[in-house]
Amino acid sequence: MFGLPKEIAGPIIAAFIAAVISLVGLLISKENKVSEFRQAWIDALREEIASVITHAHAIHGAYLAKFPSNPEIWRNMREDFVKINEAWAKIKLRLNPDEAPSKAILQALQEHEGIFQENDVPPDFSKLREADRELLKCAQVVLKEEWKKVKRGERIYRAATWLAGILVIVGFLSLLKPSIPLLFLSARRDYRVVERTDNYVDKDGRPASAQLHDHDIVGLVFSHEGHKIYGQCDLSTLNKLDPNASCGLRTMHDYDCVLGRDDIMKAPMPLSDLTCTDADGRKVYVYVSKEE
C-alpha cells in the first residue's frame, strides 16, 4: 500500500480503521441524543394538545354550571384560562410555521382560540367539538411523521451505522487475510521457482550420472509471499498414480500451486504438499521439506 512494507502498512490501516470507527461511534452517540430530544418533543406536543382540549372543556363546564355572578365564574375558570393560554403559546413556539404539517396545526389552533377570544361575547361552544377534531387530526399527522423519524433513526445515524458495519467487515477481512490460504486451501497463488537442482539416481536411489541414471529427483526452491519453500519432485513414485505427471518447472517462472489437504484419508491421490501446474498444463507434485 503506497509503497509501504506490509509490516508498516498493516498497523497504519488498523489505526486508520480504529480512528474512523471511533468517529462513527461519536456520530452515532450524537444522533442518538438527537433522537432522544425528538422523542421528548413528541411527548411534549402530545401533552400540550391534550392540555388545550382538557382546559377548553373545563371552561365549557364552568359556563354550564351557571354560577350566579361573573366574578364567581372567573374564579372557577381562571386557572383553566391560564393553562389553555400557556398550552397555546407553547404549541406555537414548538412548531415551524414554514412546514406544511405545522401550518395545518397552527391553523386549527387559531380556530380553536377564536372560540374563546371574542370580546364581551360568551364562547360559542357549539364549535368546540369540531375544533377539537380538527386540531387532533392535524396533530396526529405531525406526531406520526416525527415518530417515524425516531423509529428509523436520524439520517446521519443511519449512514454512520452502515459505515460502521462496512468498516468492521473490512477490518475483519484485513485481519483474516493472512489466514485465507489456510481456510481456502484450494485457492491458487503464484509460486516462483528460484532454484532447481536435478539429482540423477539409479533404480536403488543411489547417485548416478546423467547418462546412466534411472530417474531424476528434482529439488525445487520456491519464493512465495516473502517465504522460501524447499521441496522435491520424484516421478518414480507417481507413474502409476498419474502417468501425465511432470517435474517440468523452470527457474525464474511463476506457477499456480495448490496447498495439499490436511485430511489425508479423504484427499484424492496422489498426495503431495504442493501441487503445481507446469506450462503444458501437467501436474507437478512437490513434497515440501521446509519453509523459511
Side-chain angles (χ1 to χ4, degrees), residues 146-209:
E146 294 300 317
W147 168 244
K148 284 181 180 178
K149 292 177 183 178
V150 172
K151 189 176 179 181
R152 290 195 304 264
E154 305 301 318
R155 188 175 301 175
I156 296 176
Y157 169 83
R158 298 198 303 271
T161 52
W162 273 100
L163 179 59
I166 292 170
L167 288 174
V168 168
I169 293 171
V170 170
F172 177 74
L173 291 177
S174 298
L175 293 173
L176 189 64
K177 184 178 179 182
S179 303
I180 288 177
L182 298 177
L183 296 175
F184 305 97
L185 297 178
S186 61
R188 294 186 176 276
R189 302 292 184 196
D190 287 335
Y191 287 74
R192 171 164 285 237
V193 178
V194 296
E195 185 178 331
R196 173 189 170 112
T197 305
D198 290 278
N199 302 302
Y200 300 104
V201 296
D202 59 19
K203 291 182 179 180
D204 298 322
R206 293 174 298 190
S209 65

Side-chain angles (χ1 to χ4, degrees), residues 179-241:
S179 303
I180 288 177
L182 298 177
L183 296 175
F184 305 97
L185 297 178
S186 61
R188 294 186 176 276
R189 302 292 184 196
D190 287 335
Y191 287 74
R192 171 164 285 237
V193 178
V194 296
E195 185 178 331
R196 173 189 170 112
T197 305
D198 290 278
N199 302 302
Y200 300 104
V201 296
D202 59 19
K203 291 182 179 180
D204 298 322
R206 293 174 298 190
S209 65
Q211 294 77 23
L212 302 176
H213 72 283
D214 177 71
H215 60 277
D216 183 10
I217 300 176
V218 180
L220 296 164
V221 181
F222 297 90
S223 175
H224 175 65
E225 293 187 348
H227 297 273
K228 279 189 175 181
I229 299 170
Y230 297 81
Q232 65 178 25
C233 174
D234 185 355
L235 290 180
S236 66
T237 63
L238 299 170
N239 287 339
K240 294 181 181 180
L241 297 172

Side-chain angles (χ1 to χ4, degrees), residues 102-151:
S102 294
K103 282 182 180 179
I105 294 181
L106 292 172
Q107 180 63 35
L109 194 67
Q110 185 176 358
E111 293 176 5
H112 205 279
E113 285 182 278
I115 296 173
F116 298 90
Q117 293 184 342
E118 293 289 340
N119 293 330
D120 301 324
V121 178
D124 184 359
F125 291 110
S126 65
K127 299 178 182 179
L128 182 58
R129 191 169 298 277
E130 182 59 30
D132 288 344
R133 279 198 293 263
E134 185 64 21
L135 182 59
L136 286 172
K137 183 178 75 172
C138 296
Q140 284 167 350
V141 172
V142 172
L143 292 171
K144 183 177 180 180
E145 288 302 314
E146 294 300 317
W147 168 244
K148 284 181 180 178
K149 292 177 183 178
V150 172
K151 189 176 179 181

Side-chain angles (χ1 to χ4, degrees), residues 27-46:
L27 286 173
I28 291 174
S29 177
K30 180 253 184 185
E31 294 304 312
N32 274 336
K33 184 59 68 175
V34 171
S35 290
E36 290 177 14
F37 290 147
R38 192 182 296 278
Q39 182 62 58
W41 185 94
I42 291 171
D43 294 339
L45 179 61
R46 186 183 291 116

Side-chain angles (χ1 to χ4, degrees), residues 41-55:
W41 185 94
I42 291 171
D43 294 339
L45 179 61
R46 186 183 291 116
E47 289 176 4
E48 287 154 6
I49 296 291
S51 180
V52 166
I53 294 172
T54 300
H55 290 292

Side-chain angles (χ1 to χ4, degrees), residues 242-255:
D242 186 353
N244 295 319
S246 155
C247 288
L249 303 184
R250 299 168 56 196
T251 57
M252 307 303 295
H253 287 75
D254 294 332
Y255 296 95

